[in-house]
Amino acid sequence: MYEPIRTKSVHAMADDADFPHRSREEELDIQLAGHLAALLAVTDELGLPEAGDRVAAQVARLRGAPPARHAALSGADHAALHRRAHTLASRALVVAASRADTAAAILTAERMDAHTAALDELRLIGAR
């Protein structure tokens, strides 16, 4: 009825591949460093050097090298930048929590609080 398969399957198991594999921890480190690097860019654009230095230290710890710092300003609305920074910090917090990185989790939670406070202040100024 059916002819037997005579050729090798084109579907190979992932374990048979000849490429380096990363552990879950390594993948989470890469993801967390990426979120923090993006947060660093927005933090630098907002002109927050102390906060930027703290974020940069975490990126350097995860990557093993200091990150590139944001040099140019886009002229974006401060409220939009604070919202973006809050979103990036929340993403980093989720990853930091999943990899049990207390230092990064504390830093990102603090950054979320700071950006929330800045947004509240901007709303109060706009309401006047």
Side-chain angles (χ1 to χ4, degrees):
M1 298 240 178
Y2 293 103
E3 224 179 293
I5 298 173
R6 296 176 194 200
T7 60
K8 254 188 143 177
S9 173
V10 294
H11 304 286
M13 296 299 292
D15 294 336
D16 296 338
D18 292 332
F19 58 89
H21 296 282
R22 287 191 283 251
S23 70
R24 180 176 185 274
E25 286 297 316
E26 290 170 325
E27 290 291 341
L28 289 173
D29 283 349
I30 292 167
Q31 191 176 36
L32 180 57
H35 289 315
L36 289 173
L39 176 60
L40 176 60
V42 176
T43 303
D44 282 347
E45 186 159 354
L46 282 166
L48 304 170
E50 298 86 18
D53 291 343
R54 292 183 61 213
V55 174
Q58 290 299 315
V59 174
R61 177 181 61 86
L62 291 164
R63 289 188 175 163
R69 299 295 294 259
H70 190 65
L73 300 178
S74 69
D77 177 45
H78 273 153
L81 289 172
H82 283 293
R83 281 190 295 275
R84 178 75 178 139
H86 186 277
T87 300
L88 290 166
S90 65
R91 290 178 184 170
L93 178 59
V94 169
V95 178
S98 71
R99 68 179 295 278
D101 187 332
T102 307
I106 290 170
L107 173 65
T108 55
E110 289 172 354
R111 295 312 316 142
M112 287 175 65
D113 290 344
H115 293 295
T116 299
L119 283 167
D120 289 343
E121 186 176 320
L122 287 172
R123 283 188 199 105
L124 286 175
I125 291 171
R128 290 182 189 171

